[in-house]
Amino acid sequence: MKCVSKLVLIAGFLSSTVVFGQAVSEKLKTEQSRLEKKINNTKSLLDKSKKNTETSLNELRLIDNQIKFREELVNNFDNQVRGAEMKVIEKGSEIKNLQEKLASLKEQYKAMLIYAYKHRNKFGRLMFIFASNSYNEAIKRGNYLERVADIQQKQFLIIRQHQGLIKKEISSIEQEKQYKMQILMEKKKEKEAIEKDKQKQEMVYKKFKQEETKLLAQLREDEKKKEVLKQKINSAIQKEIAAAEAKRVKDEAAAKKKASASTTTTSGSGTKPAGGTTTTTPTTENKEVAFTETKESAALSKSFEGNKGKLPWPVDKGSITEGFGKNAHPTLDNVFTNNNGIDISAPKNAQVRAVFEGEVTSVLNIPGAGKVVIIKHGNYRTVYSNLQDTYVKAGTKVTTKQAIGSLLVKDGSATSVAHFEIHQVVGTAVQCLNPSLWVTH
């Protein structure tokens, strides 16, 4: 019986170890799948860029992204190989324990069979029972013989179970070894791809280093366009805030006028209060109207906030080629650019979609930034610029992932770039937020 209990404990321990190991392995495989998807997206964009004879800074950023993603994938492969090696060691230890246990069980079973053989007698069982001093003792002896037979049968089943477990663990080790070899081959391919990407990166880098004067002029022009875009977006949001405030004041005045008229009518038809003065009861109608609007806005804001880190991308496929805030120029030393949002390289003329339900408040046309769409989500605003065509207008209600326009294409470019921003309105102040923290990864 002790052997049976030990087997149950060993099986429980092995089961928990396997479950933990599987969870880590699945997490690494999920991460591998995510990185491979990013690499494929970036590779697709780079393949399209190759058709263009004019190399762009955007292509250099895509190459940088490709190298980064491949290096992350190689690290992922390293972790999976280490995990496979640990599994092989664990399985080897488990097999050794099972084999030792199996040898012990066989010895015990052998001893029982030898004893049974030496004391074989067709009358032996009956004589053992009939030799009892009382009826109760005879019952106990009968139960004892049944338990011995039951133990022998269990011992036999445990031995078979151990043999099955050993066979299974050996098969598992072989699978882990094959998986490890496969991962090592994929790692080798990725390292070769990284070297090719780095060689191309160096070639593009040298080309741009020879055109620093042209790049600086282009950079200054781009920064001017960014500043114009920033001012236009802020102006549109402030205009929207002012219009909402004017509407609130107008509604409040109308509500007060209506309440005053109602009070005057009541006073003229009824009994005046003591002292001959007319008492005007403060109305809560205006507060109720304002509260209803604020409540809806707050609910949408809360829903938007609740999806932080889970919002879909504004394009179906793409790669972030310039992040939020301060960014180092890819070729010019000690030169930085500032970004109020993120720039996402996407396929040519890609569809742009709303990242969350809301209402379009502005559709602008800005030279150098194409068309711009601003969508309201309670106290939040999402901004989509660099659009060639728009499918919405001010006042349009949109749903999550609804197409709102298509991207602009620069002359000679094989890809498009979506500029995406998120703003939060607090009172009359507008704060830029980092979109990378809001969209899913």
Side-chain angles (χ1 to χ4, degrees):
M1 293 301 289
K2 288 182 180 179
C3 292
V4 176
S5 300
K6 286 180 181 178
L7 178 63
V8 171
L9 289 173
I10 291 171
F13 173 73
L14 295 181
S15 176
S16 62
T17 305
V18 168
V19 169
F20 177 75
Q22 285 176 344
V24 174
S25 180
E26 286 302 317
K27 186 177 179 181
L28 287 171
K29 286 177 182 177
T30 301
E31 179 68 9
Q32 176 188 341
S33 177
R34 184 184 70 82
L35 288 169
E36 286 175 344
K37 185 178 179 181
K38 281 188 173 184
I39 289 169
N40 289 333
N41 284 341
T42 312
K43 185 177 182 296
S44 174
L45 294 171
L46 284 169
D47 288 342
K48 290 174 183 176
S49 297
K50 286 177 184 176
K51 298 175 184 178
N52 181 21
T53 55
E54 185 72 21
T55 306
S56 66
L57 281 174
N58 193 53
E59 184 180 350
L60 183 57
R61 293 189 180 105
L62 284 171
I63 294 171
D64 290 341
N65 280 356
Q66 189 77 329
I67 291 171
K68 184 183 75 171
F69 295 149
R70 288 190 189 280
E71 286 175 344
E72 288 180 14
L73 185 58
V74 167
N75 288 335
N76 179 281
F77 287 154
D78 284 337
N79 289 333
Q80 291 195 55
V81 168
R82 280 195 292 270
E85 288 173 346
M86 288 295 294
K87 278 188 180 179
V88 169
I89 293 171
E90 288 172 5
K91 297 294 183 185
S93 178
E94 290 168 12
I95 288 173
K96 184 179 178 182
N97 290 335
L98 287 170
Q99 286 175 336
E100 289 175 356
K101 193 67 182 173
L102 180 60
S104 175
L105 288 168
K106 283 182 175 179
E107 285 298 321
Q108 292 175 21
Y109 191 62
K110 178 182 175 182
M112 283 192 292
L113 289 177
I114 291 172
Y115 180 82
Y117 179 78
K118 286 182 177 180
H119 296 82
R120 66 190 185 284
N121 188 331
K122 64 179 181 178
F123 300 112
R125 289 174 58 86
L126 291 175
M127 292 302 296
F128 179 69
I129 293 172
F130 290 150
S132 303
N133 294 322
S134 66
Y135 175 77
N136 287 335
E137 185 178 344
I139 295 295
K140 287 179 181 180
R141 289 191 177 192
N143 290 338
Y144 171 76
L145 291 174
E146 288 179 2
R147 284 173 59 195
V148 168
D150 186 52
I151 289 172
Q152 288 177 336
Q153 182 63 24
K154 284 182 178 178
Q155 198 82 346
F156 174 73
L157 292 175
I158 289 170
I159 289 171
R160 291 190 62 180
Q161 187 177 16
H162 270 64
Q163 289 173 332
L165 284 171
I166 290 171
K167 187 177 179 181
K168 184 179 177 182
E169 293 300 325
I170 291 172
S171 174
S172 179
I173 281 183
E174 290 303 318
Q175 289 177 6
E176 287 299 329
K177 285 180 178 178
Q178 291 175 10
Y179 176 70
K180 176 185 171 183
M181 293 302 298
Q182 179 187 344
I183 291 294
L184 287 172
M185 289 296 293
E186 290 180 10
K187 177 183 173 181
K188 183 181 178 182
K189 289 179 183 177
E190 286 301 321
K191 281 191 171 183
E192 290 172 355
I194 288 172
E195 288 305 315
K196 289 181 181 178
D197 287 340
K198 284 186 175 179
Q199 288 173 10
K200 184 175 180 181
Q201 180 191 44
E202 185 64 25
M203 289 172 60
V204 176
Y205 181 79
K206 285 180 180 178
K207 177 182 179 295
F208 282 116
K209 286 296 285 184
Q210 295 170 358
E211 302 175 352
E212 285 195 2
T213 304
K214 182 181 175 182
L215 283 174
L216 284 169
Q218 183 63 47
L219 182 62
R220 283 192 288 268
E221 185 66 25
D222 290 342
E223 287 300 303
K224 285 180 183 178
K225 289 178 181 179
K226 282 184 180 180
E227 187 60 31
V228 170
L229 175 62
K230 178 182 176 182
Q231 291 175 1
K232 290 282 187 181
I233 291 171
N234 284 338
S235 176
I237 294 176
Q238 290 295 342
K239 185 178 178 181
E240 176 206 330
I241 294 171
E245 179 64 15
K247 183 179 182 299
R248 188 191 67 79
V249 171
K250 183 179 178 181
D251 290 345
E252 184 178 349
K256 284 183 178 179
K257 185 177 180 181
K258 183 179 178 182
S260 177
S262 176
T263 304
T264 302
T265 302
T266 304
S267 299
S269 60
T271 305
K272 291 184 178 181
T277 59
T278 303
T279 304
T280 302
T281 304
T283 178
T284 59
E285 185 176 351
N286 170 57
K287 290 184 178 180
E288 290 174 355
V289 172
F291 179 74
T292 301
E293 292 178 350
T294 304
K295 187 176 180 181
E296 291 173 356
S297 178
L300 193 55
S301 294
K302 188 175 181 181
S303 182
F304 187 85
E305 287 173 357
N307 282 276
K308 185 175 182 180
K310 296 181 285 186
L311 295 175
W313 279 40
V315 289
D316 183 47
K317 292 179 181 179
S319 181
I320 297 176
T321 43
E322 186 168 287
F324 177 80
K326 191 175 182 180
N327 293 274
H329 193 277
T331 60
L332 299 174
D333 297 331
N334 300 317
V335 175
F336 299 89
T337 59
N338 288 300
N339 197 338
N340 283 339
I342 56 175
D343 292 338
I344 305 172
S345 291
K348 189 176 180 179
N349 288 126
Q351 298 280 295
V352 177
R353 57 193 189 178
V355 299
F356 199 72
E357 63 177 304
E359 180 183 349
V360 177
T361 58
S362 301
V363 178
L364 312 172
N365 195 347
I366 303 174
K371 295 180 180 179
V372 180
V373 173
I374 302 176
I375 301 178
K376 177 182 178 181
H377 317 277
N379 288 333
Y380 291 89
R381 306 290 185 275
T382 51
V383 181
Y384 313 78
S385 64
N386 236 19
L387 305 181
Q388 179 171 290
D389 299 307
T390 56
Y391 314 144
V392 293
K393 59 183 179 180
T396 302
K397 301 280 187 181
V398 296
T399 56
T400 303
K401 291 188 178 182
Q402 178 180 330
I404 59 172
S406 62
L407 286 175
L408 190 68
V409 181
K410 290 185 178 181
D411 294 337
S413 178
T415 58
S416 295
V417 178
H419 179 73
F420 176 61
E421 298 180 13
I422 297 180
H423 298 257
Q424 183 178 15
V425 178
V426 183
T428 57
V430 181
Q431 179 185 2
C432 291
L433 304 176
N434 185 354
S436 297
L437 303 177
W438 289 78
V439 296
T440 185
H441 291 280

